[in-house]
Amino acid sequence: MNTEKDFSPLTPNIVRALNDKLYEKRKVAALEIEKLVREFVAQNNSTQIRHVIQILASEFALSQHPHSRKGGLIGLAACSIALGKDSGLYLKELIEPVLTCFNDSDSRLRYYACEALYNIVKVARGAVLPHFNLLFDGLSKLAADPDPNVKSGSELLDRLLKDIVTESNKFDLVAFVPLLRERIYSNNQYARQFIISWIHVLESVPDINLLDYLPEILDGLFQILGDNSKEIRKTCEVVLGEFLKEIKKTPSSVKFAEMANILVIHCQVADETKLTNDLIQLTAMTWMREFIQLAGRVMLPYSSGILTAVLPCLSYDDRKKNTKEAASACNHSLMKLVTPEDDEEEEEQKSGSTGSPSREDGQPKTEADSNDMLNASQESVGFSNISFFTPASADRPQVTLDLDGIVQVLGRHLHDSSTGMMTRIAVLKWLYHLYIKTPRKMFRHTDSLFPMLLKTLSDESDEVILKDLEVLAEIASSPAGQTDQAGSCESTDGKPELKVPEGAKPGQQHSTGSKALDSSPSTPSMNSYFYKFMINLLKRLSLERKLLENRGAFIIRQLCLLLHAENIFHSMADILLKEEDLKFASTMVQTLNTILLTSAELFQLRNQLKDLRTQESCALFCCLYRSWCHNPVATVSLCFLTQNYKHAYDLIQKFGDLEVTVDFLMEVDKLVQLIESPIFTYLRLQLLDVENNPYLIKALYGLLMLLPQSQAFQLLSHRLRCVPNPELMRTVDESKYMDSKQQVASKRASHTQMDYNELLQHFDRVQSKHLEVRHQRSGRASDHPDRKLM
């Protein structure tokens, strides 16, 4: 440094001492400067004061010589001490050169700068707050300083500054938040510790409302929550916990919508192997749960993003029990936000129809039902991976449900083969709930949902299948689906779709009424999707024989509970009548027949067919009969069920012309077992009335003659030996006996309305087709010597 340069009012002795390498000499010079500045303060000579500060800053603190910089720093601190309460007038000139030295490569010089700034701030106190951003920026850099002495000095200054902010009511939070938002994304551990400690302090100051600016720093807080340091994570947890408490206290002033997407992002775990991610996810899920409960329908536009985050968590095991429970609460609360008013058309909403929500009394199911029953989703493989959803317009006057986005997310999760069982169940529950609450809008998605719902019937879980069937049943019976054209549900797997029989309409009976729907008041209305469902269900059972074998009966029985059993059997019989795959038709008829004869769910339908007293029951019998002809033994059992014993005998007479196979004999064996079951108790009792039931006995003897001398043969033979002599069964009162015969004749009168000859001819035609198909198969097999005949 040029010692001949004029540094007045600093004396040459002061200048030399400031440049000295010894700290003690620089300290002596600082005392001289303090004395000099005090004199200028007494004289109120601000010009000279500024001149001293300028010389110390430009000629010393910002000098190229390290000892000169050290002298300048201690000199500026001395000026501040001398100025006392007046230092606030010169803070910019005092602080800026000191902060510049924070970036010096010499750790000792950085330490002296920290010490100098501490003295300046200590004197100025609240007057430094207008310069807070500069101080914070400098301190945030020193917080990560590698030198422990510098770090220690910065921590002292940091505590001092926090005390000043805490005791002041003039802190400019608006100016500070942009800097905080920028610094909060630092990856340095010490910088994170510094940031989170400041947020903790600011959040605890009553006069500082940091909650208003939480959307700007919430993402950064979750980033810090994933730090490797346990201490930092703990502090961050405390800070987030305090914010959440404040949110619960003042929910009306919270910007829920602005933070929704941030929570959605952090509810999703990118790397499950990182333990800190579990903490982030649990915390975000806990916040999400509170947001949904506090903000209500404000969260609806973000439903698709929330579901994207929540649904996978529902399949977590006990290792993530807390996260799973929080996700379940989110899912349940979000589902409750969807109401019938969300089914209103957008035009209605825009025209001001913002009155009270529609009454739920007109809905097909009650709210309680929708909470107990689950739902199914969609098979479109084009679903993109969504991390969160942003509403198209942030300033919509009314909250709207993002139904398209929700259906897309539900379909993506159900389509994914890695989706857990509980997630699939939740997806199905959501779809069911949406069909109950918003049926009109949901039916726009039905054509795309249908294939996936059908595919879900092959799920390994019975519970998933049950919920899937509930969705399909709701689609098939909802009044919102009453349309002449229900869209195309054509299959794309190459095989032609089963055709709806001509003249058949969804749910229509073969009765004389002109209604397209069931005439029975106990039968729920079926819409145009009902027949599509039946067609595609049979199509899937045809293509997946294991599904038919393992779950076919289970699926059909559940459908009989969810929909009307008569509708199920009537429609399937109609469709099977046109089935080209005769082997499948025979197997399907056998399955339906077994269900009809053995399932408790079919009790009412069995009673309806038992006597054939009404025109409707006769029409149902004829409908079933025509399809049952695909399986001769099933046809006979249907005749036994409906007490058409003469016709059963006529059919058995024709069995001699059929190809008797092992499978055929096994079916006869099963029929004999069924005759001994409670279902046919009335039939066995009718054996007592020999004169009025001769064809029943003949039919049973016919079955006996078909059987080889097996266990079933012995069983039936023993039963027939118990048939009494008709002469012994006659009562003494002959008039009563004649009345009994007249009653039986009257009871059978309704049967004469049916053309049994035509039914027999139909049976012959069907069996001829089956015989022709079997011969064709045998011919194809004989053309290949290496192929074994089955």
Side-chain angles (χ1 to χ4, degrees):
M1 177 175 288
N2 185 3
T3 56
E4 297 179 359
K5 191 174 181 181
D6 183 14
F7 291 104
S8 99
L10 298 182
T11 65
N13 290 334
I14 293 175
V15 172
R16 279 194 300 273
L18 287 175
N19 286 305
D20 201 280
K21 64 179 180 179
L22 295 176
Y23 171 75
E24 293 299 328
K25 289 188 177 181
R26 295 197 297 273
K27 187 176 180 180
V28 171
L31 292 173
E32 292 296 324
I33 292 173
E34 181 181 346
K35 181 180 178 182
L36 180 64
V37 172
R38 286 184 189 278
E39 292 176 0
F40 291 146
V41 170
Q43 299 168 8
N44 199 23
N45 192 344
S46 60
T47 303
Q48 286 290 69
I49 294 173
R50 291 188 186 278
H51 191 44
V52 170
I53 295 174
Q54 182 183 1
I55 292 172
L56 290 172
S58 59
E59 300 297 334
F60 290 89
L62 301 179
S63 170
Q64 297 296 320
H65 196 277
H67 298 310
S68 297
R69 293 200 294 275
K70 293 173 185 177
L73 290 170
I74 198 171
L76 290 170
C79 288
S80 177
I81 293 171
L83 288 167
K85 62 179 182 176
D86 293 332
S87 63
L89 301 172
Y90 309 93
L91 278 176
K92 188 174 186 298
E93 295 88 338
L94 289 168
I95 290 174
E96 287 185 353
V98 177
L99 289 174
T100 302
C101 292
F102 276 14
N103 298 318
D104 200 282
S105 58
D106 186 348
S107 62
R108 290 291 298 168
L109 202 140
R110 294 198 301 274
Y111 175 78
Y112 285 130
C114 197
E115 184 182 52
L117 189 57
Y118 179 88
N119 288 315
I120 294 171
V121 171
K122 187 176 181 180
V123 171
R125 302 297 295 181
V128 302
L129 289 179
H131 309 279
F132 178 80
N133 279 14
L134 285 173
L135 298 174
F136 184 88
D137 183 55
L139 273 175
S140 65
K141 296 172 183 176
L142 290 189
D145 199 283
D147 188 274
N149 291 324
V150 177
K151 270 183 92 287
S152 177
S154 69
E155 288 170 2
L156 285 173
L157 176 57
D158 181 55
R159 283 196 291 272
L160 174 62
L161 200 56
K162 284 173 181 172
D163 289 341
I164 294 171
V165 170
T166 303
E167 67 190 21
S168 172
N169 59 358
K170 297 180 180 179
F171 182 74
D172 189 354
L173 186 61
V174 176
F176 172 62
V177 168
L179 178 61
L180 178 61
R181 185 176 60 235
E182 175 189 343
R183 289 284 187 265
I184 202 169
Y185 287 104
S186 172
N187 291 323
N188 184 277
Q189 190 178 55
Y190 298 107
R192 282 180 165 181
Q193 179 71 61
F194 173 77
I195 292 291
I196 196 66
S197 66
W198 265 102
I199 295 175
H200 193 194
V201 167
L202 295 175
E203 203 277 331
S204 64
V205 178
D207 294 332
I208 298 177
N209 188 14
L210 195 57
L211 187 61
D212 285 346
Y213 302 93
L214 184 57
E216 300 187 50
I217 63 172
L218 184 61
D219 180 61
L221 285 172
F222 275 103
Q223 298 281 357
I224 294 175
L225 190 61
D227 195 88
N228 293 325
S229 168
K230 184 178 180 180
E231 182 181 351
I232 293 175
R233 291 199 304 271
K234 186 64 179 176
T235 305
C236 193
E237 276 189 89
V238 171
V239 168
L240 286 169
E242 291 298 321
F243 273 124
L244 193 56
K245 286 180 183 178
E246 196 171 344
I247 288 171
K248 291 179 183 179
K249 289 179 183 178
T250 58
S252 60
S253 61
V254 178
K255 301 173 182 177
F256 290 105
E258 294 181 25
M259 292 184 279
N261 283 336
I262 297 171
L263 296 182
V264 166
I265 293 171
H266 291 289
C267 281
Q268 302 172 69
V269 175
D271 183 7
E272 294 189 7
T273 61
K274 192 175 180 182
L275 295 178
T276 55
N277 283 341
D278 292 343
L279 176 60
I280 294 173
Q281 187 182 33
L282 174 58
T283 307
M285 198 67 71
T286 303
W287 276 59
M288 184 69 77
R289 179 189 64 201
E290 298 296 338
F291 272 35
I292 296 171
Q293 292 174 355
L294 293 170
R297 288 179 61 84
V298 171
M299 302 298 287
L300 270 185
Y302 305 89
S303 300
S304 59
I306 295 171
L307 287 175
T308 299
V310 165
L311 288 173
C313 301
L314 300 177
S315 293
Y316 283 171
D317 55 26
D318 288 341
R319 289 174 296 178
K320 296 183 179 181
K321 183 180 178 181
N322 292 337
T323 304
K324 180 179 179 179
E325 289 176 351
S328 180
C330 286
N331 185 57
H332 182 70
S333 299
L334 186 64
M335 188 177 291
K336 289 170 65 177
L337 298 180
V338 182
T339 63
E341 73 180 54
D342 293 307
D343 204 27
E344 297 175 0
E345 296 296 332
E346 288 79 0
E347 292 77 10
E348 295 175 6
Q349 295 177 357
K350 290 177 182 177
S351 65
S353 63
T354 57
S356 60
S358 306
R359 286 179 57 86
E360 293 185 23
D361 299 351
Q363 295 299 318
K365 301 287 188 300
T366 65
E367 174 68 25
D369 292 335
S370 66
N371 288 337
D372 294 336
M373 305 174 80
L374 307 185
N375 222 287
S377 189
Q378 152 179 2
E379 193 178 0
S380 174
V381 295
F383 291 125
S384 58
N385 290 327
I386 309 169
S387 59
F388 60 88
F389 167 76
T390 303
S393 175
D395 45 20
R396 287 180 177 175
Q398 183 173 352
V399 172
T400 56
L401 178 69
D402 173 33
L403 189 61
D404 293 351
I406 290 176
V407 172
Q408 187 182 44
V409 172
L410 295 175
R412 178 166 57 86
H413 280 89
L414 196 61
H415 174 73
D416 188 353
S417 58
S418 63
T419 301
M421 182 189 74
M422 296 308 297
T423 298
R424 295 199 299 277
I425 289 174
V427 167
L428 294 167
K429 184 173 183 178
W430 258 102
L431 284 173
Y432 182 84
H433 184 71
L434 292 172
Y435 270 109
I436 294 296
K437 298 299 181 185
T438 60
R440 287 190 300 171
K441 289 184 177 179
M442 276 302 294
F443 266 92
R444 301 171 188 172
H445 300 277
T446 300
D447 287 343
S448 58
L449 287 170
F450 226 73
M452 179 169 286
L453 291 170
L454 287 165
K455 184 179 179 182
T456 306
L457 292 174
S458 303
D459 198 276
E460 296 177 355
S461 166
D462 285 351
E463 191 173 357
V464 172
I465 294 175
L466 275 173
K467 305 313 171 186
D468 188 34
L469 289 171
E470 286 169 8
V471 184
L472 289 164
E474 180 59 31
I475 291 173
S477 60
S478 174
Q482 297 286 12
T483 173
D484 294 332
Q485 242 174 310
S488 174
C489 292
E490 296 296 321
S491 177
T492 58
D493 49 20
K495 186 172 179 181
E497 195 68 63
L498 292 167
K499 302 300 181 183
V500 179
E502 293 182 7
K505 295 182 180 179
Q508 187 176 10
Q509 302 298 320
H510 287 238
S511 59
T512 56
S514 60
K515 295 185 297 180
L517 303 178
D518 293 340
S519 59
S520 171
S522 62
T523 304
S525 298
M526 297 296 107
N527 60 37
S528 49
Y529 277 96
F530 174 76
Y531 234 93
K532 289 184 178 295
F533 176 26
M534 293 297 104
I535 290 172
N536 284 277
L537 174 59
L538 289 173
K539 169 69 172 174
R540 182 157 290 276
L541 293 174
S542 173
L543 294 176
E544 296 185 34
R545 295 303 172 88
K546 286 188 177 181
L547 177 63
L548 175 59
E549 294 171 9
N550 300 331
R551 300 288 180 81
F554 171 74
I555 290 171
I556 294 168
R557 285 169 54 201
Q558 294 304 318
L559 284 175
C560 289
L561 289 174
L562 294 166
L563 300 170
H564 199 274
E566 183 179 345
N567 285 329
I568 302 298
F569 274 75
H570 201 303
S571 59
M572 286 191 170
D574 276 343
I575 298 166
L576 289 171
L577 190 60
K578 303 293 182 179
E579 174 59 50
E580 297 176 358
D581 185 345
L582 298 184
K583 185 176 181 182
F584 167 71
S586 176
T587 304
M588 194 67 220
V589 165
Q590 183 182 3
T591 302
L592 291 171
N593 187 64
T594 302
I595 296 170
L596 176 64
L597 294 178
T598 61
S599 298
E601 296 87 351
L602 277 296
F603 175 79
Q604 185 176 351
L605 187 60
R606 283 196 296 272
N607 279 348
Q608 184 179 345
L609 289 168
K610 185 176 177 181
D611 292 328
L612 299 183
R613 292 179 177 178
T614 65
Q615 186 177 358
E616 287 78 13
S617 61
C618 290
L620 177 61
F621 166 74
C622 290
C623 175
L624 296 182
Y625 180 94
R626 294 179 184 280
S627 290
W628 260 234
C629 287
H630 283 298
N631 189 295
V633 179
T635 312
V636 170
S637 66
L638 181 64
C639 291
F640 281 157
L641 175 66
T642 56
Q643 303 184 63
N644 279 300
Y645 301 135
K646 183 180 185 305
H647 193 68
Y649 172 71
D650 293 337
L651 287 173
I652 293 172
Q653 289 290 94
K654 292 180 175 291
F655 281 9
D657 299 328
L658 303 180
E659 182 181 359
V660 178
T661 63
V662 174
D663 289 339
F664 178 87
L665 292 176
M666 289 178 64
E667 290 181 34
V668 176
D669 189 296
K670 291 178 182 177
L671 177 56
V672 171
Q673 302 293 335
L674 280 172
I675 290 171
E676 295 297 320
S677 71
I679 297 295
F680 283 113
T681 300
Y682 69 91
L683 181 147
R684 298 195 300 275
L685 288 174
Q686 287 173 355
L687 291 173
L688 294 172
D689 190 359
V690 178
E691 289 196 1
N692 287 322
N693 296 292
Y695 287 104
L696 170 58
I697 299 172
K698 286 186 176 184
L700 293 177
Y701 269 110
L703 290 179
L704 187 68
M705 294 303 105
L706 286 171
L707 286 168
Q709 295 195 25
S710 59
Q711 184 178 357
F713 177 90
Q714 298 298 332
L715 189 66
L716 184 55
S717 175
H718 183 71
R719 172 65 65 184
L720 289 171
R721 282 200 298 272
C722 297
V723 175
N725 187 322
E727 295 299 325
L728 296 176
M729 297 301 293
R730 288 191 179 181
T731 60
V732 176
D733 191 344
E734 192 68 25
S735 62
K736 290 183 179 180
Y737 172 70
M738 295 305 296
D739 288 343
S740 175
K741 292 190 69 174
Q742 290 174 1
Q743 289 174 5
V744 172
S746 174
K747 183 179 177 182
R748 299 295 184 197
S750 63
H751 290 196
T752 61
Q753 299 175 8
M754 291 184 285
D755 187 348
Y756 286 99
N757 287 328
E758 192 276 331
L759 293 178
L760 283 173
Q761 291 171 10
H762 177 77
F763 177 83
D764 290 338
R765 289 193 297 270
V766 172
Q767 291 306 310
S768 295
K769 288 182 180 178
H770 278 268
L771 185 61
E772 181 181 347
V773 170
R774 282 196 292 270
H775 286 167
Q776 290 174 354
R777 288 176 181 167
S778 299
R780 286 196 296 270
S782 62
D783 291 338
H784 300 277
D786 295 334
R787 183 176 176 182
K788 291 184 179 180
L789 293 175
M790 298 300 293

